[in-house]
């Protein structure tokens, strides 16, 4: 085993220049020979570990003690472990030199908007989703609503905690639209159409119990027993999901619900969507009146 291998093994794969001042020339030589890679100023790792997410996060922690990890990395470490990370975004109290694969922002993140992930501080899901709302139109917010992991109060608090930021106008717009608690971008778009065209009497993700099973109806007009099922572009339909979806629709029809289905492509034609919904609402109202009479 070489001297370098021993050093890396003894320091869990990360070498900090400040801890090895007597080996400054050796670190430079190993780096020049391609045996070490500098991830951040004064932070060295083996080339094979340079792309490892865990190693890169540990490098941030070692180099920037006051770091608060934000963005994609915070998402991956909290509510969205399936997301890939192309850049590690870090909020710090002081300016930092840029480094490939990292983005440092001089920003104060309130402690009540942070969470601990082991020794690492990350933005909480409410702030992480609100941060991204400036560019993703609330996709992460929708996901948190769907999982029952967020409230409007928490989202409003996250926005209020970080005033005067670039993108806050867009974030406020997304937050206003989130008051109906959409579970997908397709639902969000449909809710907007309903509001703009003053169609009322509906609720989002309305729970009903049918045949001993609880279903959440995308958009329901409970008084009229009318439901709009919104099939968004996010849905990855599998054979099992296809079967479950048809069972759900059959259960609704058997329970005397009228079911409309809208696709993402249909939502691109607002006139069609609004006319279809209004026609269905009027038909349901006439049917209800006849039954009452």
């Amino acid at each position: 085993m070489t001297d370098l291998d021993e050093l890396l093994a003894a320091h869990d794969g990360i070498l900090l220049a400040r801890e090895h001042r007597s080996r400054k020339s050796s670190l430079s030589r190993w780096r020049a020979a391609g045996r070490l890679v500098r991830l951040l100023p004064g932070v060295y790792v083996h080339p094979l570990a340079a792309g490892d997410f865990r190693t890169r996060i540990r490098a941030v922690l070692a180099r920037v003690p006051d770091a608060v990890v934000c963005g994609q990395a915070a998402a991956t470490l909290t509510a969205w472990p399936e997301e890939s990370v192309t850049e590690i975004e870090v909020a710090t109290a002081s300016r930092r030199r840029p480094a490939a694969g990292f983005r440092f922002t001089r920003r104060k993140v309130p402690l009540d908007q942070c969470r601990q992930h082991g020794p690492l501080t990350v933005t909480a899901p409410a702030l992480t989703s609100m941060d991204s709302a400036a560019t993703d139109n609330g996709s992460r917010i929708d996901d948190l609503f769907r999982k029952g992991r967020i409230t409007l109060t928490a989202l409003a608090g996250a926005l209020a905690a970080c005033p005067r930021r670039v993108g806050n106008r867009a974030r406020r717009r997304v937050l206003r639209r989130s008051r109906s608690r959409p579970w997908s971008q397709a639902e969000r778009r449909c809710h907007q159409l309903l509001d703009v065209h003053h169609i009322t009497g509906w609720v989002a993700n309305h729970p009903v119990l049918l045949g001993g099973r609880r279903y959440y109806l995308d958009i329901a007009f409970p008084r009229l027993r009318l439901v709009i099922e919104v099939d968004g572009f996010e849905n990855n339909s599998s054979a099992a999901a296809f079967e479950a979806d048809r069972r759900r629709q059959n259960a609704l029809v058997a329970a005397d619900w009228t079911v409309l289905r809208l696709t993402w492509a249909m939502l691109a034609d607002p006139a069609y969507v609004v006319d279809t919904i209004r026609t269905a609402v009027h038909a349901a109202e006439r049917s209800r009146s006849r039954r009452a009479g």
Side-chain angles (χ1 to χ4, degrees):
M1 179 177 285
T2 66
D3 188 32
L4 175 58
D5 293 330
E6 291 173 354
L7 275 176
L8 287 170
H11 293 84
D12 200 17
I14 292 181
L15 300 181
L16 300 179
R18 67 172 181 263
E19 296 177 355
H20 301 279
R21 299 186 189 280
S22 64
R23 288 190 169 92
K24 181 178 179 180
S25 60
S26 295
L27 293 175
S28 297
R29 186 175 67 254
W30 287 328
R31 183 188 178 198
R35 299 182 64 193
L36 282 179
V37 171
R38 191 181 75 169
L39 282 186
L40 294 170
V43 182
Y44 299 89
V45 301
H46 191 281
L48 293 179
D52 176 64
F53 175 68
R54 179 175 173 272
T55 299
R56 296 175 75 82
I57 285 292
R58 287 171 51 238
V60 168
L61 187 62
R63 178 63 183 174
V64 191
D66 69 336
V68 177
V69 174
C70 314
Q72 292 176 332
T76 298
L77 293 170
T78 54
W80 300 273
E82 72 285 354
E83 287 197 14
S84 59
V85 180
T86 57
E87 180 181 66
I88 295 177
E89 182 180 348
V90 183
T92 70
S94 58
R95 295 189 185 279
R96 295 278 173 174
R97 281 186 283 173
F102 298 87
R103 179 155 63 94
F104 294 98
T105 305
R106 191 174 181 182
R107 171 188 176 192
K108 182 174 177 57
V109 181
L111 287 178
D112 64 350
Q113 296 298 326
C114 297
R115 296 291 182 273
Q116 289 302 124
H117 185 85
L120 191 69
T121 303
V122 303
T123 52
L127 182 56
T128 303
S129 63
M130 186 52 69
D131 279 351
S132 65
T135 54
D136 75 357
N137 196 42
S139 289
R140 284 186 179 142
I141 291 174
D142 299 343
D143 184 64
L144 290 177
F145 277 133
R146 185 169 60 252
K147 295 173 179 175
R149 296 182 59 179
I150 201 64
T151 65
L152 284 171
T153 300
L155 290 171
L159 181 59
C162 300
R164 297 184 297 278
R165 292 185 62 211
V166 173
N168 271 2
R169 179 178 296 181
R171 294 185 184 97
R172 284 192 291 270
R173 174 182 54 77
V174 170
L175 181 60
R176 286 194 297 270
R177 178 63 275 154
S178 299
R179 66 187 182 276
S180 56
R181 298 174 177 80
W183 285 9
S184 70
Q185 288 291 288
E187 289 184 23
R188 186 174 286 270
R189 180 175 290 189
C190 195
H191 295 180
Q192 179 73 11
L193 286 175
L194 290 167
D195 282 350
V196 167
H197 293 276
H198 308 291
I199 299 174
T200 60
W202 60 275
V203 292
N205 301 298
H206 179 62
V208 295
L209 192 64
L210 301 173
R213 298 192 62 179
R214 184 178 298 276
Y215 297 99
Y216 291 88
L217 311 185
D218 292 348
I219 298 172
F221 294 78
R223 185 178 66 86
L224 302 176
R225 299 187 76 78
L226 170 66
V227 57
I228 302 169
E229 295 287 77
V230 186
D231 301 321
F233 72 95
E234 304 99 326
N235 294 342
N236 295 315
S237 184
S238 64
F242 181 89
E243 290 296 324
D245 191 56
R246 270 55 190 176
R247 286 180 179 271
R248 167 192 174 101
Q249 181 158 334
N250 289 344
L252 285 166
V253 172
D256 200 29
W257 283 83
T258 298
V259 180
L260 289 183
R261 302 198 75 94
L262 297 177
T263 66
W264 182 256
M266 291 176 188
L267 291 170
D269 184 355
Y272 167 79
V273 170
V274 172
D275 183 63
T276 299
I277 293 174
R278 279 180 171 158
T279 299
V281 167
H282 293 156
E285 287 174 339
R286 289 194 298 272
S287 177
R288 189 172 183 275
S289 296
R290 284 195 299 270
R291 292 178 184 177

